[in-house]
Amino acid sequence: MDNIGSPTLLTQQYTVSVLLGVLIVLLYGYDLLLKRLRKLAWMSMILKNQKNRPPVINGVFHRLSDIKSGVESSSGGVTAHEGLYMILNQWPVYFFYCLRFMTIVLPSRVPSMLFSYLKHGTYATTKNERDIVIMILSIPALYMMCKPVKRTDPLIQNYCGDFHPSTEDDHIWLWEIPRELPAVPFDGNAVLKDLSIIFLEKERRVIRAIHQGKDIAPSSSSNMLFSIVAATLGYWSHFKSHLMAEISAEEIINQGIEKLEPSARFVHSLHSGLLNSATSPAVPGSLLYSIATTRTSFEESMGCPMPHYIVPAKRNFAAFAFFLAARKSIAANLKAHDLNVSVEPLFQNMIVHCIDHHLSYEYLKLHDYSLDGSESFMSYMRSLILVELWMFPKVNPFDDVHLCAVACNYDSPSFYSDVYRDLKRADPLLADRIIASTCF
Protein backbone atom coordinates (compact mmCIF):
# COMPACT_ATOMS: atom_id res chain seq x y z
CA MET A 1 0.00 0.00 0.00
CA ASP A 2 2.90 2.35 0.75
CA ASN A 3 4.17 2.01 -2.83
CA ILE A 4 0.95 3.19 -4.53
CA GLY A 5 2.05 6.79 -4.72
CA SER A 6 5.79 6.16 -5.01
CA PRO A 7 7.71 8.13 -7.67
CA THR A 8 8.92 4.90 -9.31
CA LEU A 9 5.40 3.55 -9.82
CA LEU A 10 4.14 6.91 -11.05
CA THR A 11 7.00 7.07 -13.52
CA GLN A 12 6.20 3.60 -14.83
CA GLN A 13 2.52 4.47 -15.20
CA TYR A 14 3.45 7.68 -17.00
CA THR A 15 5.80 5.79 -19.36
CA VAL A 16 3.13 3.21 -20.19
CA SER A 17 0.57 5.96 -20.81
CA VAL A 18 2.95 7.81 -23.11
CA LEU A 19 3.77 4.62 -25.06
CA LEU A 20 0.08 3.78 -25.43
CA GLY A 21 -0.61 7.34 -26.58
CA VAL A 22 2.19 7.17 -29.16
CA LEU A 23 0.91 3.79 -30.36
CA ILE A 24 -2.63 5.12 -30.77
CA VAL A 25 -1.34 8.15 -32.70
CA LEU A 26 0.77 5.91 -34.97
CA LEU A 27 -2.12 3.58 -35.66
CA TYR A 28 -4.41 6.51 -36.36
CA GLY A 29 -1.83 8.00 -38.70
CA TYR A 30 -1.42 4.60 -40.42
CA ASP A 31 -5.18 4.41 -40.91
CA LEU A 32 -5.31 7.91 -42.43
CA LEU A 33 -2.32 7.11 -44.66
CA LEU A 34 -4.00 3.96 -46.02
CA LYS A 35 -7.19 5.87 -46.79
CA ARG A 36 -5.23 8.57 -48.61
CA LEU A 37 -3.17 6.06 -50.58
CA ARG A 38 -6.30 4.13 -51.48
CA LYS A 39 -7.76 7.23 -53.14
CA LEU A 40 -4.48 8.01 -54.89
CA ALA A 41 -4.15 4.42 -56.12
CA TRP A 42 -7.69 4.48 -57.50
CA MET A 43 -7.09 7.77 -59.33
CA SER A 44 -3.75 6.58 -60.72
CA MET A 45 -5.31 3.34 -62.05
CA ILE A 46 -8.00 5.34 -63.87
CA LEU A 47 -5.46 7.75 -65.37
CA LYS A 48 -3.22 4.87 -66.47
CA ASN A 49 -6.05 3.10 -68.25
CA GLN A 50 -7.29 6.30 -69.88
CA LYS A 51 -3.88 6.74 -71.49
CA ASN A 52 -3.58 3.16 -72.63
CA ARG A 53 -6.61 0.93 -72.34
CA PRO A 54 -5.44 -2.64 -72.86
CA PRO A 55 -7.68 -5.16 -74.59
CA VAL A 56 -8.28 -8.56 -73.08
CA ILE A 57 -6.67 -10.99 -75.51
CA ASN A 58 -7.86 -14.60 -75.50
CA GLY A 59 -8.96 -14.19 -71.90
CA VAL A 60 -5.34 -14.02 -70.69
CA PHE A 61 -4.88 -11.37 -68.03
CA HIS A 62 -2.39 -8.67 -68.85
CA ARG A 63 0.41 -9.58 -66.49
CA LEU A 64 0.72 -12.88 -68.38
CA SER A 65 0.70 -11.10 -71.72
CA ASP A 66 3.56 -8.95 -70.49
CA ILE A 67 5.56 -11.99 -69.41
CA LYS A 68 5.13 -13.58 -72.82
CA SER A 69 6.50 -10.52 -74.60
CA GLY A 70 9.35 -10.23 -72.11
CA VAL A 71 8.54 -6.63 -71.20
CA GLU A 72 6.34 -4.89 -68.69
CA SER A 73 3.89 -2.84 -70.73
CA SER A 74 2.35 0.41 -69.59
CA SER A 75 -1.00 -1.35 -69.29
CA GLY A 76 0.35 -4.21 -67.22
CA GLY A 77 2.56 -2.21 -64.90
CA VAL A 78 1.58 -1.16 -61.39
CA THR A 79 1.61 2.58 -60.70
CA ALA A 80 3.75 4.00 -57.91
CA HIS A 81 0.67 4.74 -55.80
CA GLU A 82 -0.68 1.22 -56.36
CA GLY A 83 2.64 -0.29 -55.38
CA LEU A 84 3.07 1.83 -52.26
CA TYR A 85 -0.52 1.18 -51.20
CA MET A 86 -0.05 -2.57 -51.65
CA ILE A 87 3.22 -2.56 -49.70
CA LEU A 88 1.90 -0.60 -46.72
CA ASN A 89 -1.40 -2.45 -46.69
CA GLN A 90 -0.39 -6.05 -47.35
CA TRP A 91 3.19 -6.47 -46.17
CA PRO A 92 2.36 -6.05 -42.46
CA VAL A 93 -0.36 -8.66 -42.88
CA TYR A 94 1.96 -11.10 -44.65
CA PHE A 95 4.59 -10.52 -41.97
CA PHE A 96 2.04 -11.42 -39.30
CA TYR A 97 1.03 -14.63 -41.09
CA CYS A 98 4.66 -15.57 -41.72
CA LEU A 99 5.25 -15.13 -37.99
CA ARG A 100 2.19 -17.29 -37.29
CA PHE A 101 3.52 -19.93 -39.67
CA MET A 102 6.97 -19.98 -38.05
CA THR A 103 5.84 -19.93 -34.43
CA ILE A 104 2.60 -21.95 -34.48
CA VAL A 105 2.20 -24.00 -37.65
CA LEU A 106 5.72 -25.39 -38.03
CA PRO A 107 6.21 -26.39 -34.35
CA SER A 108 2.85 -28.16 -34.35
CA ARG A 109 3.06 -29.94 -37.73
CA VAL A 110 6.70 -30.81 -38.46
CA PRO A 111 7.22 -33.07 -35.40
CA SER A 112 4.17 -35.14 -36.38
CA MET A 113 5.54 -35.48 -39.94
CA LEU A 114 8.91 -36.67 -38.66
CA PHE A 115 7.30 -39.06 -36.18
CA SER A 116 5.13 -40.49 -38.98
CA TYR A 117 8.22 -41.01 -41.13
CA LEU A 118 10.08 -42.81 -38.37
CA LYS A 119 7.09 -45.03 -37.65
CA HIS A 120 5.62 -45.66 -41.12
CA GLY A 121 8.32 -44.56 -43.58
CA THR A 122 6.16 -41.72 -44.93
CA TYR A 123 5.69 -38.14 -43.77
CA ALA A 124 1.89 -38.40 -43.64
CA THR A 125 -0.86 -40.95 -43.40
CA THR A 126 -1.32 -42.75 -46.72
CA LYS A 127 -4.28 -41.33 -48.60
CA ASN A 128 -7.14 -43.49 -49.83
CA GLU A 129 -9.71 -43.17 -52.60
CA ARG A 130 -12.25 -41.75 -50.14
CA ASP A 131 -9.89 -38.81 -49.42
CA ILE A 132 -9.62 -38.11 -53.15
CA VAL A 133 -13.37 -38.18 -53.73
CA ILE A 134 -14.14 -35.97 -50.71
CA MET A 135 -11.52 -33.44 -51.85
CA ILE A 136 -13.12 -33.19 -55.30
CA LEU A 137 -16.60 -32.81 -53.78
CA SER A 138 -15.44 -30.21 -51.22
CA ILE A 139 -13.61 -27.69 -53.41
CA PRO A 140 -15.57 -25.66 -56.02
CA ALA A 141 -12.67 -25.32 -58.48
CA LEU A 142 -12.55 -29.13 -58.57
CA TYR A 143 -16.20 -30.16 -58.40
CA MET A 144 -17.28 -27.72 -61.13
CA MET A 145 -15.28 -29.95 -63.50
CA CYS A 146 -17.33 -33.03 -62.54
CA LYS A 147 -19.49 -34.33 -65.36
CA PRO A 148 -22.52 -36.50 -64.45
CA VAL A 149 -22.69 -39.83 -66.25
CA LYS A 150 -25.16 -42.73 -66.21
CA ARG A 151 -24.49 -46.45 -65.87
CA THR A 152 -25.85 -46.91 -69.38
CA ASP A 153 -23.44 -44.34 -70.81
CA PRO A 154 -21.07 -45.96 -73.35
CA LEU A 155 -18.21 -44.22 -71.56
CA ILE A 156 -18.99 -46.10 -68.36
CA GLN A 157 -19.57 -49.38 -70.19
CA ASN A 158 -16.27 -49.07 -72.01
CA TYR A 159 -14.25 -47.74 -69.06
CA CYS A 160 -15.70 -49.57 -66.11
CA GLY A 161 -17.53 -52.64 -67.33
CA ASP A 162 -19.98 -54.08 -64.83
CA PHE A 163 -19.94 -52.68 -61.29
CA HIS A 164 -22.49 -52.64 -58.51
CA PRO A 165 -23.11 -49.49 -56.42
CA SER A 166 -24.55 -50.08 -52.97
CA THR A 167 -27.56 -47.89 -53.80
CA GLU A 168 -29.22 -47.48 -57.17
CA ASP A 169 -29.62 -43.71 -56.72
CA ASP A 170 -25.89 -43.11 -56.22
CA HIS A 171 -24.56 -40.49 -58.65
CA ILE A 172 -21.66 -41.38 -60.94
CA TRP A 173 -19.26 -38.55 -61.78
CA LEU A 174 -16.41 -38.16 -64.25
CA TRP A 175 -13.66 -35.76 -63.18
CA GLU A 176 -10.86 -35.17 -65.65
CA ILE A 177 -7.91 -33.01 -66.54
CA PRO A 178 -8.12 -32.65 -70.33
CA ARG A 179 -5.33 -33.97 -72.53
CA GLU A 180 -5.29 -30.60 -74.33
CA LEU A 181 -3.78 -28.97 -71.24
CA PRO A 182 -0.07 -28.20 -71.75
CA ALA A 183 2.11 -30.85 -70.14
CA VAL A 184 3.81 -29.96 -66.87
CA PRO A 185 6.32 -32.38 -65.31
CA PHE A 186 5.21 -33.94 -62.05
CA ASP A 187 7.64 -36.01 -59.99
CA GLY A 188 9.75 -36.62 -63.10
CA ASN A 189 7.53 -39.50 -64.25
CA ALA A 190 4.04 -38.01 -64.59
CA VAL A 191 2.42 -34.89 -65.99
CA LEU A 192 -0.49 -32.78 -64.81
CA LYS A 193 -2.83 -33.62 -67.69
CA ASP A 194 -4.90 -36.39 -69.26
CA LEU A 195 -6.26 -37.81 -65.99
CA SER A 196 -9.76 -39.26 -65.67
CA ILE A 197 -11.34 -40.33 -62.39
CA ILE A 198 -14.77 -41.97 -62.35
CA PHE A 199 -16.30 -42.22 -58.89
CA LEU A 200 -19.47 -42.85 -56.93
CA GLU A 201 -20.63 -39.86 -54.89
CA LYS A 202 -22.35 -41.53 -51.93
CA GLU A 203 -19.96 -44.46 -51.60
CA ARG A 204 -16.93 -42.16 -51.99
CA ARG A 205 -15.47 -44.90 -54.17
CA VAL A 206 -13.27 -44.56 -57.26
CA ILE A 207 -14.48 -46.97 -59.94
CA ARG A 208 -11.60 -46.33 -62.28
CA ALA A 209 -8.69 -43.92 -62.71
CA ILE A 210 -6.84 -43.52 -66.01
CA HIS A 211 -3.71 -41.40 -66.39
CA GLN A 212 -1.96 -40.97 -69.73
CA GLY A 213 -3.93 -43.91 -71.10
CA LYS A 214 -2.89 -46.24 -68.28
CA ASP A 215 -4.98 -47.60 -65.42
CA ILE A 216 -4.03 -46.48 -61.95
CA ALA A 217 -5.10 -48.53 -58.96
CA PRO A 218 -6.43 -46.05 -56.34
CA SER A 219 -5.48 -48.43 -53.54
CA SER A 220 -1.79 -48.47 -54.43
CA SER A 221 -1.37 -45.02 -56.02
CA SER A 222 -3.72 -42.92 -53.89
CA ASN A 223 -0.96 -40.55 -52.70
CA MET A 224 0.02 -39.70 -56.27
CA LEU A 225 -3.62 -39.26 -57.36
CA PHE A 226 -4.28 -37.01 -54.35
CA SER A 227 -1.22 -34.88 -55.19
CA ILE A 228 -2.14 -34.54 -58.87
CA VAL A 229 -5.73 -33.50 -58.10
CA ALA A 230 -4.56 -31.02 -55.44
CA ALA A 231 -1.88 -29.59 -57.74
CA THR A 232 -4.55 -28.94 -60.39
CA LEU A 233 -5.88 -26.17 -58.14
CA GLY A 234 -2.69 -24.13 -58.24
CA TYR A 235 -1.80 -24.99 -61.80
CA TRP A 236 -5.05 -24.48 -63.60
CA SER A 237 -8.55 -24.53 -62.12
CA HIS A 238 -8.30 -22.00 -59.26
CA PHE A 239 -6.41 -19.48 -61.39
CA LYS A 240 -9.38 -19.23 -63.72
CA SER A 241 -11.04 -17.09 -61.03
CA HIS A 242 -7.94 -14.85 -61.02
CA LEU A 243 -8.29 -14.43 -64.77
CA MET A 244 -11.92 -13.38 -64.38
CA ALA A 245 -11.01 -11.06 -61.51
CA GLU A 246 -8.54 -9.29 -63.79
CA ILE A 247 -11.26 -8.77 -66.39
CA SER A 248 -13.64 -7.53 -63.69
CA ALA A 249 -11.11 -5.03 -62.33
CA GLU A 250 -10.38 -3.73 -65.84
CA GLU A 251 -14.08 -3.12 -66.46
CA ILE A 252 -14.45 -1.19 -63.22
CA ILE A 253 -11.31 0.90 -63.76
CA ASN A 254 -11.96 1.59 -67.45
CA GLN A 255 -15.36 3.07 -66.60
CA GLY A 256 -14.15 4.76 -63.41
CA ILE A 257 -16.98 3.22 -61.35
CA GLU A 258 -16.07 4.39 -57.85
CA LYS A 259 -19.07 2.58 -56.37
CA LEU A 260 -17.28 -0.68 -57.25
CA GLU A 261 -13.76 0.46 -56.32
CA PRO A 262 -13.43 -2.19 -53.54
CA SER A 263 -13.70 -4.91 -56.20
CA ALA A 264 -10.79 -3.46 -58.17
CA ARG A 265 -8.61 -3.00 -55.10
CA PHE A 266 -5.30 -4.94 -55.13
CA VAL A 267 -6.18 -7.11 -58.16
CA HIS A 268 -3.52 -5.66 -60.47
CA SER A 269 -0.82 -5.38 -57.86
CA LEU A 270 -1.53 -8.91 -56.59
CA HIS A 271 -1.13 -10.44 -60.04
CA SER A 272 1.98 -8.42 -60.76
CA GLY A 273 3.42 -9.66 -57.46
CA LEU A 274 2.46 -13.29 -58.15
CA LEU A 275 4.35 -13.22 -61.41
CA ASN A 276 7.38 -11.15 -60.43
CA SER A 277 7.88 -10.84 -56.68
CA ALA A 278 10.86 -12.44 -54.97
CA THR A 279 8.44 -13.80 -52.36
CA SER A 280 5.84 -15.17 -54.79
CA PRO A 281 4.70 -18.79 -54.38
CA ALA A 282 4.95 -19.14 -58.17
CA VAL A 283 8.53 -17.96 -58.69
CA PRO A 284 11.16 -20.73 -58.35
CA GLY A 285 13.99 -19.68 -56.08
CA SER A 286 11.65 -17.71 -53.85
CA LEU A 287 11.89 -18.55 -50.16
CA LEU A 288 8.13 -19.01 -50.20
CA TYR A 289 7.91 -20.92 -53.51
CA SER A 290 5.20 -23.51 -53.08
CA ILE A 291 3.13 -24.05 -56.22
CA ALA A 292 4.27 -27.01 -58.30
CA THR A 293 4.28 -24.88 -61.46
CA THR A 294 5.58 -21.50 -62.60
CA ARG A 295 4.37 -18.31 -64.23
CA THR A 296 5.25 -19.78 -67.64
CA SER A 297 2.88 -22.63 -66.89
CA PHE A 298 0.12 -20.14 -66.07
CA GLU A 299 0.49 -18.51 -69.46
CA GLU A 300 0.31 -21.86 -71.23
CA SER A 301 -2.60 -23.24 -69.21
CA MET A 302 -4.80 -20.13 -69.39
CA GLY A 303 -5.56 -20.87 -73.03
CA CYS A 304 -7.19 -24.21 -72.14
CA PRO A 305 -10.87 -23.74 -71.18
CA MET A 306 -12.02 -25.18 -67.88
CA PRO A 307 -15.26 -27.15 -68.26
CA HIS A 308 -18.14 -26.14 -66.00
CA TYR A 309 -21.00 -28.53 -65.38
CA ILE A 310 -23.87 -26.85 -63.54
CA VAL A 311 -26.50 -29.50 -62.85
CA PRO A 312 -29.17 -29.99 -60.14
CA ALA A 313 -27.35 -33.10 -58.89
CA LYS A 314 -24.68 -30.81 -57.40
CA ARG A 315 -27.13 -28.95 -55.15
CA ASN A 316 -25.74 -30.67 -52.05
CA PHE A 317 -22.11 -29.92 -52.89
CA ALA A 318 -20.28 -27.46 -50.64
CA ALA A 319 -21.41 -23.85 -51.34
CA PHE A 320 -23.10 -24.78 -54.64
CA ALA A 321 -26.52 -23.38 -53.60
CA PHE A 322 -24.73 -20.34 -52.15
CA PHE A 323 -23.05 -19.69 -55.51
CA LEU A 324 -26.40 -19.75 -57.31
CA ALA A 325 -27.89 -17.30 -54.80
CA ALA A 326 -24.83 -15.03 -54.98
CA ARG A 327 -24.77 -14.87 -58.78
CA LYS A 328 -28.50 -14.10 -58.86
CA SER A 329 -28.03 -11.35 -56.26
CA ILE A 330 -25.08 -9.76 -58.07
CA ALA A 331 -26.98 -9.72 -61.38
CA ALA A 332 -30.09 -8.20 -59.78
CA ASN A 333 -28.22 -5.57 -57.77
CA LEU A 334 -25.98 -4.48 -60.63
CA LYS A 335 -29.17 -3.73 -62.54
CA ALA A 336 -30.86 -2.09 -59.54
CA HIS A 337 -27.90 0.25 -58.95
CA ASP A 338 -27.39 0.92 -62.68
CA LEU A 339 -23.84 -0.46 -62.73
CA ASN A 340 -22.84 -1.47 -66.22
CA VAL A 341 -20.32 -4.28 -65.70
CA SER A 342 -20.41 -7.96 -66.62
CA VAL A 343 -21.97 -10.26 -64.06
CA GLU A 344 -19.74 -13.33 -64.43
CA PRO A 345 -16.32 -11.64 -63.96
CA LEU A 346 -17.56 -9.72 -60.89
CA PHE A 347 -19.15 -12.89 -59.48
CA GLN A 348 -15.85 -14.76 -59.88
CA ASN A 349 -13.91 -11.80 -58.45
CA MET A 350 -16.08 -11.35 -55.35
CA ILE A 351 -17.54 -14.77 -54.61
CA VAL A 352 -15.85 -17.70 -56.32
CA HIS A 353 -12.24 -16.77 -55.56
CA CYS A 354 -12.58 -16.31 -51.79
CA ILE A 355 -14.96 -19.23 -51.23
CA ASP A 356 -12.63 -21.47 -53.24
CA HIS A 357 -9.76 -20.37 -50.96
CA HIS A 358 -11.88 -20.89 -47.85
CA LEU A 359 -13.11 -24.39 -48.72
CA SER A 360 -9.70 -25.47 -50.08
CA TYR A 361 -8.07 -24.40 -46.84
CA GLU A 362 -10.72 -26.04 -44.66
CA TYR A 363 -10.14 -29.39 -46.37
CA LEU A 364 -6.42 -29.38 -47.13
CA LYS A 365 -5.36 -28.14 -43.68
CA LEU A 366 -6.39 -31.59 -42.45
CA HIS A 367 -4.26 -33.47 -44.98
CA ASP A 368 -0.49 -33.24 -45.29
CA TYR A 369 0.44 -34.22 -48.84
CA SER A 370 3.35 -34.14 -51.26
CA LEU A 371 3.01 -31.04 -53.43
CA ASP A 372 4.81 -32.47 -56.46
CA GLY A 373 4.25 -36.19 -55.87
CA SER A 374 7.90 -36.86 -54.99
CA GLU A 375 7.07 -37.79 -51.36
CA SER A 376 10.17 -35.87 -50.22
CA PHE A 377 10.26 -33.89 -46.99
CA MET A 378 10.55 -30.59 -48.90
CA SER A 379 7.51 -31.42 -51.04
CA TYR A 380 5.49 -31.83 -47.84
CA MET A 381 6.89 -28.57 -46.48
CA ARG A 382 5.98 -26.75 -49.67
CA SER A 383 2.40 -28.02 -49.50
CA LEU A 384 2.30 -26.80 -45.89
CA ILE A 385 3.45 -23.35 -47.04
CA LEU A 386 0.86 -23.34 -49.81
CA VAL A 387 -2.04 -24.27 -47.54
CA GLU A 388 -1.19 -22.40 -44.34
CA LEU A 389 0.40 -19.29 -45.84
CA TRP A 390 -1.17 -18.74 -49.25
CA MET A 391 -4.63 -20.32 -49.07
CA PHE A 392 -5.45 -18.72 -45.73
CA PRO A 393 -7.34 -15.40 -46.29
CA LYS A 394 -5.24 -12.34 -45.47
CA VAL A 395 -6.96 -9.00 -44.90
CA ASN A 396 -5.66 -5.86 -43.20
CA PRO A 397 -8.10 -4.91 -40.39
CA PHE A 398 -7.30 -1.23 -40.98
CA ASP A 399 -8.51 -1.52 -44.58
CA ASP A 400 -10.94 -4.42 -44.39
CA VAL A 401 -12.31 -5.59 -47.74
CA HIS A 402 -14.61 -8.24 -46.31
CA LEU A 403 -18.03 -7.69 -47.83
CA CYS A 404 -19.57 -7.11 -44.38
CA ALA A 405 -17.06 -4.32 -43.68
CA VAL A 406 -17.35 -2.74 -47.15
CA ALA A 407 -21.14 -2.77 -46.86
CA CYS A 408 -20.89 -0.76 -43.62
CA ASN A 409 -18.72 1.94 -45.23
CA TYR A 410 -21.67 3.46 -47.09
CA ASP A 411 -24.21 5.71 -45.39
CA SER A 412 -27.04 4.78 -47.77
CA PRO A 413 -27.95 1.39 -49.23
CA SER A 414 -25.30 0.39 -51.76
CA PHE A 415 -24.61 -2.45 -54.17
CA TYR A 416 -22.44 -4.13 -51.53
CA SER A 417 -24.92 -3.75 -48.67
CA ASP A 418 -27.73 -5.16 -50.80
CA VAL A 419 -25.65 -8.12 -51.95
CA TYR A 420 -24.51 -8.77 -48.37
CA ARG A 421 -28.12 -8.75 -47.17
CA ASP A 422 -29.04 -11.37 -49.80
CA LEU A 423 -26.03 -13.54 -48.98
CA LYS A 424 -26.77 -13.49 -45.26
CA ARG A 425 -30.15 -14.97 -46.08
CA ALA A 426 -28.56 -17.68 -48.22
CA ASP A 427 -25.79 -18.71 -45.78
CA PRO A 428 -24.77 -16.44 -42.88
CA LEU A 429 -21.43 -18.18 -42.30
CA LEU A 430 -20.27 -18.09 -45.94
CA ALA A 431 -21.56 -14.52 -46.35
CA ASP A 432 -19.09 -13.34 -43.72
CA ARG A 433 -16.25 -15.06 -45.61
CA ILE A 434 -16.82 -13.01 -48.76
CA ILE A 435 -14.06 -10.57 -49.70
CA ALA A 436 -14.96 -7.84 -52.18
CA SER A 437 -11.95 -8.40 -54.45
CA THR A 438 -9.31 -10.93 -55.39
CA CYS A 439 -6.67 -9.53 -53.06
CA PHE A 440 -4.74 -12.64 -51.92
Side-chain angles (χ1 to χ4, degrees), residues 109-332:
R109 301 285 287 277
V110 172
S112 63
M113 286 185 186
L114 296 176
F115 179 77
S116 176
Y117 183 79
L118 292 174
K119 186 175 181 180
H120 305 290
T122 177
Y123 292 104
T125 304
T126 301
K127 307 297 182 293
N128 56 48
E129 56 186 299
R130 183 179 178 84
D131 295 325
I132 297 166
V133 172
I134 293 176
M135 174 169 60
I136 293 174
L137 297 178
S138 301
I139 301 175
L142 296 179
Y143 72 58
M144 292 306 294
M145 298 160 59
C146 286
K147 176 183 178 181
V149 289
K150 298 180 180 179
R151 286 190 64 183
T152 55
D153 194 304
L155 175 70
I156 296 298
Q157 297 295 320
N158 296 335
Y159 272 26
C160 305
D162 190 24
F163 66 95
H164 302 282
S166 59
T167 57
E168 290 298 324
D169 63 341
D170 203 346
H171 292 114
I172 307 170
W173 297 97
L174 167 65
W175 184 90
E176 58 184 351
I177 309 174
R179 66 185 60 184
E180 294 79 17
L181 198 64
V184 172
F186 190 80
D187 188 26
N189 301 314
V191 292
L192 289 173
K193 61 177 286 185
D194 196 11
L195 170 66
S196 299
I197 299 176
I198 302 172
F199 64 89
L200 291 168
E201 177 186 338
K202 291 184 179 179
E203 285 190 44
R204 307 289 198 256
R205 175 162 66 95
V206 175
I207 303 170
R208 191 176 183 188
I210 304 171
H211 184 234
Q212 298 283 284
K214 298 179 180 179
D215 275 294
I216 296 179
S219 57
S220 59
S221 303
S222 54
N223 274 10
M224 187 191 75
L225 281 175
F226 190 98
S227 294
I228 290 178
V229 174
T232 306
L233 279 170
Y235 168 50
W236 183 48
S237 59
H238 172 71
F239 272 88
K240 291 296 184 178
S241 65
H242 282 263
L243 182 154
M244 297 300 285
E246 182 84 9
I247 296 172
S248 172
E250 287 292 348
E251 281 191 329
I252 295 167
I253 296 167
N254 283 344
Q255 299 181 60
I257 307 176
E258 191 168 2
K259 291 180 179 179
L260 293 177
E261 179 272 332
S263 294
R265 203 178 298 174
F266 304 126
V267 176
H268 287 172
S269 49
L270 170 70
H271 290 160
S272 183
L274 282 174
L275 293 170
N276 301 295
S277 173
T279 59
S280 169
V283 176
S286 162
L287 291 174
L288 301 178
Y289 174 64
S290 59
I291 296 177
T293 52
T294 65
R295 58 189 182 184
T296 303
S297 305
F298 297 155
E299 179 190 344
E300 294 172 347
S301 66
M302 286 298 172
C304 183
M306 174 184 161
H308 279 63
Y309 298 101
I310 302 174
V311 293
K314 293 184 179 181
R315 61 184 178 275
N316 293 324
F317 288 14
F320 187 78
F322 181 76
F323 282 147
L324 295 180
R327 197 183 189 286
K328 181 180 179 180
S329 173
I330 287 174

Side-chain angles (χ1 to χ4, degrees), residues 61-77:
F61 63 75
H62 310 130
R63 308 308 167 280
L64 293 175
S65 301
D66 299 335
I67 292 298
K68 185 174 182 180
S69 65
V71 298
E72 184 75 10
S73 71
S74 58
S75 64

